[in-house]
């Protein structure tokens, strides 16, 4: 049973990680148009020198469930890349240290269209040239859905 749940988690996180590392130039064309152009040179490597090249950031006051989900994501990145796993970071997007990151933000005032268990995924570039996938949710339960999307 434990293996089945871990494998299911792995597959779910795999789909999210592929969206981070294979999206066209951090979800934009980079040329100001709506046309999406894939540039494989623009995508950061998942791992570098045996270490993960991506951070997962969660809020300072995250509960055990969100901490475990973030760790599952890092463990999946590790399994995919063969790199050593890492620990989730706590804090805001300014704490991003690596070229790519998944940033989980809990915002109780997030748009009403999200509902109680909804979330949004947004790609962007944080200076200096760090690609960030932001998961914004109104509460931790919704953030979990976003992580396992």
């Amino acid at each position: 049973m434990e293996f089945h749940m871990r494998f299911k988690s792995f597959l779910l996180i795999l789909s999210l990680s592929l969206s981070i590392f294979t999206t066209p130039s951090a979800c934009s064309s980079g040329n100001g148009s709506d046309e999406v152009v894939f540039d494989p040179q623009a995508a950061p490597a998942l791992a570098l020198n045996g270490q993960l090249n991506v951070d997962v950031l969660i809020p300072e006051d995250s509960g055990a469930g969100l901490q475990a989900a973030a760790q599952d994501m890092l463990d999946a990145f590790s399994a995919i890349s063969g790199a050593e796993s890492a620990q989730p970071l706590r804090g805001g997007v300014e704490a991003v240290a690596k070229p790519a990151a998944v940033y989980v933000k809990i915002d109780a005032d997030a748009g009403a269209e999200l509902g109680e268990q909804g979330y949004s995924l947004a790609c962007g570039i944080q200076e200096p040239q760090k690609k960030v996938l932001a998961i914004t949710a109104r509460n931790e339960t919704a953030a979990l859905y976003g992580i396992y999307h």
Side-chain angles (χ1 to χ4, degrees):
M1 181 72 170
E2 173 75 21
F3 172 77
H4 176 69
M5 292 304 293
R6 292 298 244 177
F7 184 71
K8 184 176 178 183
S9 295
F10 171 78
L11 290 177
L12 291 171
I13 292 172
L14 174 63
S15 69
L16 182 59
S17 65
L18 289 175
S19 72
I20 295 169
F21 295 100
T22 61
T23 51
S25 301
C27 303
S28 70
S29 64
N31 61 12
S33 75
D34 290 336
E35 179 185 358
V36 177
V37 179
F38 179 66
D39 179 5
Q41 300 302 317
L46 181 58
L48 192 60
N49 299 323
Q51 301 294 314
L52 285 179
N53 205 27
V54 61
D55 285 327
V56 175
L57 293 98
I58 56 176
E60 291 284 345
D61 58 350
S62 296
L66 193 52
Q67 170 74 29
Q71 188 62 59
D72 280 349
M73 180 177 282
L74 286 164
D75 290 347
F77 290 156
S78 175
I80 292 166
S81 67
E84 285 185 39
S85 190
Q87 296 295 312
L89 302 176
R90 292 181 182 258
V93 72
E94 66 279 351
V96 173
K98 296 183 179 168
V102 176
Y103 170 59
V104 179
K105 179 181 178 185
I106 306 296
D107 181 1
D109 298 325
E113 68 276 2
L114 292 180
E116 278 303 305
Q117 296 183 349
Y119 59 89
S120 67
L121 300 175
C123 295
I125 298 178
Q126 176 79 15
E127 292 300 323
Q129 300 301 311
K130 295 177 182 175
K131 296 181 181 186
V132 178
L133 174 66
I135 300 171
T136 303
R138 295 178 75 182
N139 56 53
E140 283 199 22
T141 301
L144 291 171
Y145 290 134
I147 287 175
Y148 289 109
H149 171 83

